[in-house]
């Protein structure tokens, strides 16, 4: 059987119908912003209707006013009720994410044919370790980049 790739925009009416009926919706996310947790073309996420209140480390799917769908982790809530979100593979926070942009929240994900709940201890630990290691990871990435550039400069000479 051949794989058919469909844009999330095309799936949105079906997703919305499922979520409004209280059911879940599973799809394979596109992009690299949630690496290493979610790998494009390999892993899937299961979305469920939004809870009454989103919390820190929840992984919502939201839609920006420009129409772009985003799946990033909540890392904070502002006094005005907006959220601060960031992808696991990113270093810049997105502030001012409005509650009305939220569509659904990830409750399960499948990696290497194994289904995982976002309530599992190891997943919760991953979220915290990954979030709090952001600055050391950024520093190490800069060093790696400079070494890579330095190595290329050595080869040119």
């Amino acid at each position: 059987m051949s794989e058919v790739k469909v844009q999330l925009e095309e799936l949105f009416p079906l997703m919305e119908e499922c979520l409004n009926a209280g059911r879940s919706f599973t799809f394979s996310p596109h992009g690299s912003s949630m690496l290493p947790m979610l790998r494009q073309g390999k892993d899937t996420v299961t979305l469920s209707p939004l809870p009454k209140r989103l919390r820190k480390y929840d992984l919502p799917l939201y839609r920006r006013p420009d129409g772009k769908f985003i799946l990033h982790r909540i890392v904070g809530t502002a006094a005005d009720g907006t959220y601060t979100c960031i992808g696991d593979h990113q270093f810049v926070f997105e502030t001012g994410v409005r509650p009305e942009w939220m569509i659904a929240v990830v409750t399960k994900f499948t990696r290497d044919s194994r289904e995982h709940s976002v309530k599992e201890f190891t997943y919760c630990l991953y979220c915290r370790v990954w979030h709090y290691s952001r600055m050391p990871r950024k520093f190490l990435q800069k060093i790696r980049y400079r070494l890579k550039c330095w190595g290329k400069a050595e080869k040119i000479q």
Side-chain angles (χ1 to χ4, degrees):
M1 182 185 334
S2 63
E3 187 176 304
V4 177
K5 294 190 181 211
V6 180
Q7 295 295 317
L8 193 53
E9 180 70 41
E10 296 173 54
L11 290 174
F12 187 64
L14 178 61
M15 177 194 307
E16 201 171 35
E17 185 180 320
C18 287
L19 294 168
N20 287 340
R23 297 190 315 257
S24 60
F25 186 86
T26 301
F27 75 103
S28 183
H30 174 78
S32 61
S33 68
M34 285 304 295
L35 283 170
M37 183 188 143
L38 298 174
R39 302 164 302 173
Q40 178 176 308
K42 294 183 179 183
D43 303 324
T44 63
V45 295
T46 299
L47 300 172
S48 294
L50 291 168
K52 291 184 193 243
R53 187 174 146 250
L54 290 169
R55 295 188 165 103
K56 188 173 184 177
Y57 305 122
D58 279 347
L59 189 54
L61 174 71
Y62 58 96
R63 192 173 195 181
R64 291 180 183 148
D66 66 5
K68 188 172 183 181
F69 290 96
I70 307 294
L71 186 67
H72 284 171
R73 192 175 315 287
I74 293 175
V75 292
T77 306
D80 65 357
T82 61
Y83 300 103
T84 299
C85 299
I86 192 168
D88 287 356
H89 196 59
Q90 297 182 322
F91 297 106
V92 178
F93 294 111
E94 180 178 3
T95 57
V97 177
R98 306 197 52 79
E100 57 267 22
W101 299 356
M102 300 298 170
I103 298 168
V105 66
V106 173
T107 51
K108 295 185 277 186
F109 63 98
T110 303
R111 182 177 178 95
D112 297 329
S113 302
R114 288 191 56 211
E115 190 172 271
H116 301 275
S117 167
V118 297
K119 295 183 180 189
E120 289 176 14
F121 173 78
T122 51
Y123 172 78
C124 294
L125 180 64
Y126 163 82
C127 290
R128 284 153 181 80
V129 168
W130 201 253
H131 175 64
Y132 288 108
S133 68
R134 185 177 57 83
M135 292 310 289
R137 287 186 292 110
K138 185 176 182 179
F139 176 73
L140 291 171
Q141 185 181 42
K142 282 183 180 183
I143 290 173
R144 194 177 101 211
Y145 176 76
R146 287 198 175 132
L147 288 173
K148 186 177 177 182
C149 290
W150 182 59
K152 286 181 181 180
E154 290 286 317
K155 288 178 183 178
I156 292 172
Q157 296 175 355

